[in-house]
Amino acid sequence: MGLEEAIDLQIKILDVYGDSALVINQIKGEWETHHLGLIPYRDYAQRLLTFFNKVEFHHIPREENKMEDALATMASMYQVMFPNEYPQITIMRLDRPAHVFAVEVITDDKSWFHDIKIFLQKQEYPPGASSKDRRTLRRLSGNFSLTGNMLYKRNFDMVLLRCVDRHEANLLMQEIHEGSFGTHANGHAMTRKILR
């Protein structure tokens, strides 16, 4: 499809980059094509190459091909109307991952598990919750257990993990890093201590 599009745009000198070593080397003629299903594609691509003055094929490992994948995705979103027309695409490089910019600032003092805890205590939904929000809250609360005023989350192996708010988490981290709880021991060492 890329070769067909380049022909339609009347491009005569072309560099082709691909992340499939098999396809690139078969089209270059360096590897034989044994799979019967791939032979018609190889032959068709080689017929298309006659429309160009110069074509070079380059293999890029998949882990180094992220930018090309993004460009191919963006290119598939544009409809070219006229020969030699191309969209202007501006690419910005961010110093941090994009999800860092999408984080919302929490303006209230409620903990992240406040709504789950209230639902388990009183079977009440947050004010203004939509039917989708209510369904999600019911589904999420199935993974939590309330004992007294303490909320626990059931892990995949049924271990109960205590839920803490931001203040308590900061306090715990400070105490752990100060060594208030002694040195960290792995599971094997802890088992030996318990068995003694």
Side-chain angles (χ1 to χ4, degrees):
M1 289 175 62
L3 293 174
E4 289 174 347
E5 190 64 32
I7 291 168
D8 290 344
L9 294 171
Q10 301 174 359
I11 294 171
K12 293 299 180 185
I13 298 173
L14 184 66
D15 282 326
V16 177
Y17 296 89
D19 60 10
S20 171
L22 177 70
V23 171
I24 294 294
N25 287 308
Q26 285 178 348
I27 290 178
K28 287 168 73 173
E30 294 177 1
W31 293 0
E32 293 182 21
T33 308
H34 296 291
H35 192 281
L36 295 176
L38 293 178
I39 292 173
Y41 291 107
R42 182 208 57 202
D43 292 344
Y44 181 62
Q46 288 180 338
R47 278 198 310 274
L48 292 177
L49 296 180
T50 61
F51 288 89
F52 300 97
N53 294 340
K54 181 182 176 187
V55 179
E56 290 185 10
F57 289 91
H58 308 277
H59 172 253
I60 299 177
R62 289 177 200 254
E63 58 273 3
E64 298 174 16
N65 199 28
K66 292 177 182 171
M67 179 58 79
E68 288 76 12
D69 283 343
L71 289 172
T73 301
M74 288 193 313
S76 69
M77 297 163 48
Y78 286 95
Q79 181 70 36
V80 177
M81 299 296 197
F82 307 105
N84 293 326
E85 176 195 13
Y86 61 93
Q88 182 73 28
I89 300 173
T90 304
I91 299 174
M92 292 181 1
R93 184 181 179 280
L94 303 175
D95 294 332
R96 296 182 285 175
H99 67 270
V100 172
F101 298 108
V103 174
E104 296 178 12
V105 177
I106 300 172
T107 55
D108 59 13
D109 291 335
K110 295 179 184 174
S111 61
W112 62 269
F113 54 83
H114 174 78
D115 293 336
I116 296 169
K117 189 173 181 180
I118 294 299
F119 180 77
L120 290 173
Q121 282 176 335
K122 305 176 184 177
Q123 297 297 305
E124 292 178 1
Y125 297 103
S130 66
S131 60
K132 184 179 177 182
D133 293 337
R134 291 174 180 222
R135 189 171 49 249
T136 301
L137 185 57
R138 284 192 304 270
R139 183 179 48 82
L140 281 174
S141 64
N143 296 325
F144 290 84
S145 174
L146 191 62
T147 305
N149 203 28
M150 283 297 168
L151 185 67
Y152 297 92
K153 183 181 187 308
R154 277 188 284 285
N155 201 358
F156 64 92
D157 56 358
M158 300 309 287
V159 172
L160 293 176
L161 306 172
R162 189 168 147 228
C163 301
V164 295
D165 59 16
R166 182 181 304 169
H167 173 70
E168 193 173 0
N170 288 336
L171 184 63
L172 287 170
M173 292 299 292
Q174 184 179 358
E175 289 178 354
I176 289 168
H177 286 287
E178 287 176 352
S180 302
F181 295 102
T183 59
H184 174 71
N186 63 25
H188 183 66
M190 290 294 288
T191 306
R192 284 192 312 188
K193 283 182 180 180
I194 292 170
L195 293 176
R196 285 186 187 166

